[in-house]
Amino acid sequence: NAGVTQTPKFQVLKTGQSMTLQCAQDMNHNSMYWYRQDPGMGLRLIYYSASEGTTDKGEVPNGYNVSRLNKREFSLRLESAAPSQTSVYFCASSVGGTLRRDGYTFGSGTRLTVV
Amino acid sequence: AQKITQTQPGMFVQEKEAVTLDCTYDTSDPSYGLFWYKQPSSGEMIFLIYQGSYDQQNATEGRYSLNFQKARKSANLVISASQLGDSAMYFCAMRGSTDSWGKFQFGAGTQVVVTP
């Protein structure tokens, strides 16, 4: 089925370990996003990629890096995980542009725990 | 800067009753879009409804309707005839016309529990 595929679904890391969250979409969308979801705070934007070859910081970029590998794939890397990065991470994609009626298509989320 | 406020952390509603979820927003953008998403306990995010700031009529999608009051900067979601499957977290989100590349601002969410 067409959509956004995120891997892994669950991950436990030790403080200081690194990992990469993978995201791929097959809808030919231009824009891709990484959000984190924390209780009582909704979803906050970490990084986004307006189009292939570009990436920009969102609201909470510290401790993260991203790569827009091609139009389909957008990965999020934690270089040295910290307990404060325990969260649920969502990848999303959209056609792009500001006044479109279509919303995001979300991946299923990654539940990350840093101990 | 844009801001979305959902003041109801949680609420209970009886099956078959209607429920209104509050959402207020703040933006200086001349045009914008408002979205509601549902997140059931399984965790996925499901798009429910969209309202454009210049749309003449309030949006409706099946049992979902959006009570849009532009002057008050509110975009409340109304779920009619609640079902047990409506139990979920609901997020209001906004995309402004000056927001580059479609970034969304989300509210903190409202947890809805539908009881028999």
Side-chain angles (χ1 to χ4, degrees):
Chain A
N1 291 337
V4 178
T5 303
Q6 248 182 275
T7 56
K9 292 190 184 305
F10 300 94
Q11 184 72 49
V12 179
L13 290 178
K14 292 182 178 180
T15 298
Q17 286 186 319
S18 62
M19 79 161 296
T20 300
L21 279 64
Q22 307 286 353
C23 177
Q25 53 90 9
D26 57 6
M27 296 168 289
N28 203 36
H29 282 171
N30 295 311
S31 302
M32 298 184 74
Y33 312 82
W34 277 105
Y35 282 83
R36 60 177 288 174
Q37 181 182 11
D38 301 292
M41 304 189 76
L43 281 75
R44 293 180 294 168
L45 182 65
I46 305 172
Y47 270 93
Y48 68 101
S49 172
S51 59
E52 185 179 356
T54 68
T55 60
D56 283 287
K57 295 178 181 179
E59 182 183 354
V60 288
N62 291 345
Y64 305 96
N65 285 301
V66 291
S67 296
R68 183 75 183 266
L69 304 171
N70 47 56
K71 191 170 186 178
R72 291 186 63 248
E73 298 172 286
F74 187 39
S75 62
L76 178 72
R77 182 160 178 84
L78 287 70
E79 291 291 351
S80 179
S84 61
Q85 294 178 304
T86 294
S87 187
V88 179
Y89 291 84
F90 283 98
C91 177
S93 70
S94 74
V95 173
T98 55
L99 293 180
R100 295 183 63 92
R101 306 179 76 87
D102 47 329
Y104 289 165
T105 301
F106 282 91
S108 57
T110 296
R111 186 172 294 274
L112 174 67
T113 302
V114 183
V115 298
Chain B
Q2 298 178 355
K3 186 176 180 180
I4 294 279
T5 302
Q6 293 180 254
T7 57
Q8 305 154 309
M11 55 198 311
F12 289 92
V13 59
Q14 274 204 308
E15 201 175 4
K16 299 180 184 178
E17 291 188 347
V19 60
T20 297
L21 309 183
D22 295 340
C23 174
T24 59
Y25 60 91
D26 190 20
T27 182
S28 56
D29 284 352
S31 60
Y32 46 89
L34 295 153
F35 299 76
W36 278 91
Y37 284 85
K38 173 184 178 181
Q39 186 181 41
S41 58
S42 53
E44 73 268 31
M45 296 286 286
I46 303 167
F47 167 71
L48 293 178
I49 196 167
Y50 166 88
Q51 178 81 46
S53 59
Y54 285 106
D55 289 347
Q56 293 297 312
Q57 293 186 324
N58 287 345
T60 60
E61 292 285 349
R63 293 186 299 109
Y64 304 108
S65 61
L66 206 152
N67 183 3
F68 180 50
Q69 299 187 46
K70 193 172 183 179
R72 292 187 172 186
K73 294 190 174 180
S74 73
N76 299 338
L77 177 70
V78 180
I79 306 174
S80 63
S82 296
Q83 302 172 356
L84 296 178
D86 293 333
S87 293
M89 181 73 85
Y90 290 82
F91 291 99
C92 180
M94 178 172 65
R95 169 198 285 168
S97 60
T98 58
D99 254 355
S100 59
W101 303 107
K103 293 182 293 177
F104 279 21
Q105 185 75 30
F106 285 86
T110 296
Q111 182 73 50
V112 172
V113 176
V114 181
T115 58

